[in-house]
Amino acid sequence: MLTVGVRGAQWQSEVTPWGDVLVDGEVRLRWFIAADDRWYEPARETTIRQRQVSGVPVIETRLKVPGGDAVQRVYGAANFGGVVVVEIYNDSSLPFAVAFDRADISTMREPSPTGVQGIDLPSGSVVFPVGHHATMRAAIRIGAANKISGKLTASELDALPGYEQVERGWIAALQVSSRVDLPELSWSTLLTQKRCDILLSEPEVSDRQSDDVEFILDIAERVRLGDKPDQWASDVAIAAERVIKSCARKKAVQWDEDRAILAAGMVLDRAGESRGRDDVARVWANLPESDVSREMTALTNSRRCPSWIESQLVAQRRDGNIDICPRG
């Protein structure tokens, strides 16, 4: 499943491959389409396609209907304490209707008075007509303990940002760290996805059982993306010391250890810890050069992924020089 939400929020929402919306692991909203020929239940259809728009937490699910597609877009917004927005766009040449399996959600207009007909849905389900190239917007307002918390008015719902605004906002926030434009779009998209995953998740925890490299790279990415470094400076310094000692014992430096040590120096520098920064830089300069890693195997679900992508594009050498595309 794919995750949507807002940075720094205490809640997250997930979207199944067919567009059901979950909050805190519980299904909160399902959708159904009444097209010209029949009712469509996305969970059972074979024509479902899904993607993350530009790699950010805006999930688009397309369902084939006569004359085109029914398009669902789901994303989070910080307004009113946090909402999950669900938009249904009619990208077909014919009108259709969308049904939701609950009525305690915010919608831009009143549901059809005829109710749901021709399909067996839970009591309280509501249906809305959606004209050719029109959009129907609904929202789930998230309250305490991740429970649905009241409804928004039509004007409040209309004031919520559209999916394109949310897309642009995420991209602008991510480019504070670095901007990567490559002919190989999969790298750029993957970098965007992994950075969004970091910002939507809880920070890594540092202890003797944790992965020190993973912890440092996670915190460093958050700091590069605008989080305050002070709260993590001490833990990063301790983790960096353990990584350095491990490299010294092995008399070898793996690529991710190299990136973690440099990242620790950056965090300490931004936290105003100049002495710690200088100590890290001095020790790093005397370590062996790191290995060359060409493979991204098993990294796509790791905090190491953004660092690996950047390591393929630029690397700092012990003599102070910078290599562009060091892996060829």
Side-chain angles (χ1 to χ4, degrees), residues 219-240:
I219 299 304
E221 199 63 43
R222 293 174 189 274
V223 170
R224 292 177 67 196
L225 290 166
D227 282 4
K228 301 295 183 183
D230 308 67
Q231 59 186 316
W232 291 306
S234 177
D235 286 342
V236 165
I238 293 170

Side-chain angles (χ1 to χ4, degrees), residues 4 14-22 29-33 42 48-53 58-63 69-75 84-91 96 98-100 135-136 138 140 163:
V4 299
E14 294 177 307
V15 182
T16 67
W18 48 90
D20 287 353
V21 179
L22 288 71
L29 190 67
R30 295 186 299 158
W31 64 302
F32 308 84
I33 296 294
I48 283 286
R49 295 95 71 204
Q50 190 176 76
R51 69 183 182 108
Q52 279 184 270
V53 178
V58 176
I59 313 305
E60 180 182 275
T61 306
R62 285 182 170 266
L63 170 65
D69 286 332
V71 184
Q72 180 212 57
R73 298 186 181 102
V74 182
Y75 56 92
V84 179
V85 182
V86 180
E87 291 184 347
I88 306 297
Y89 172 64
N90 185 346
D91 191 17
F96 60 61
V98 59
F100 298 114
T135 299
M136 172 64 200
I140 303 171
Y163 83 93

Side-chain angles (χ1 to χ4, degrees), residues 46 91 278:
T46 60
D91 191 17
D278 293 344

Side-chain angles (χ1 to χ4, degrees), residues 30-214:
R30 295 186 299 158
W31 64 302
F32 308 84
I33 296 294
D36 188 57
D37 57 342
R38 63 180 176 89
W39 275 98
Y40 289 76
E41 184 175 351
R44 297 185 176 184
E45 302 297 333
T46 60
T47 60
I48 283 286
R49 295 95 71 204
Q50 190 176 76
R51 69 183 182 108
Q52 279 184 270
V53 178
S54 299
V56 304
V58 176
I59 313 305
E60 180 182 275
T61 306
R62 285 182 170 266
L63 170 65
K64 191 71 176 175
V65 296
D69 286 332
V71 184
Q72 180 212 57
R73 298 186 181 102
V74 182
Y75 56 92
N79 309 57
F80 310 108
V83 295
V84 179
V85 182
V86 180
E87 291 184 347
I88 306 297
Y89 172 64
N90 185 346
D91 191 17
S92 77
S93 58
L94 298 170
F96 60 61
V98 59
F100 298 114
D101 68 342
R102 61 191 305 160
D104 58 343
I105 57 174
S106 307
T107 55
M108 60 194 302
R109 58 178 179 269
E110 292 298 315
S112 170
T114 60
V116 179
Q117 300 178 6
I119 186 173
D120 184 20
L121 294 182
S123 175
S125 297
V126 289
V127 63
F128 302 87
V130 186
H132 165 61
H133 285 182
T135 299
M136 172 64 200
R137 176 181 284 186
I140 303 171
R141 187 174 183 180
I142 309 298
N146 291 343
K147 302 298 183 182
I148 292 180
S149 176
K151 292 186 178 183
L152 304 177
T153 65
S155 60
E156 289 173 333
L157 193 59
D158 187 59
L160 293 174
Y163 83 93
E164 291 175 316
Q165 291 174 271
V166 172
E167 175 193 4
R168 290 193 297 268
W170 273 103
I171 290 173
L174 298 179
Q175 289 181 351
V176 169
S177 177
S178 67
R179 176 176 173 176
V180 176
D181 292 317
L182 296 169
E184 178 55 68
L185 292 179
S186 61
W187 275 17
S188 301
T189 301
L190 184 60
L191 181 61
T192 297
Q193 290 172 340
K194 294 302 113 181
R195 283 177 170 163
C196 289
D197 289 346
I198 287 173
L199 292 182
L200 288 175
S201 64
E202 292 291 326
E204 291 285 321
V205 176
S206 176
D207 55 41
R208 290 195 172 275
Q209 284 71 48
S210 65
D211 182 334
D212 288 321
V213 169
E214 189 99 343

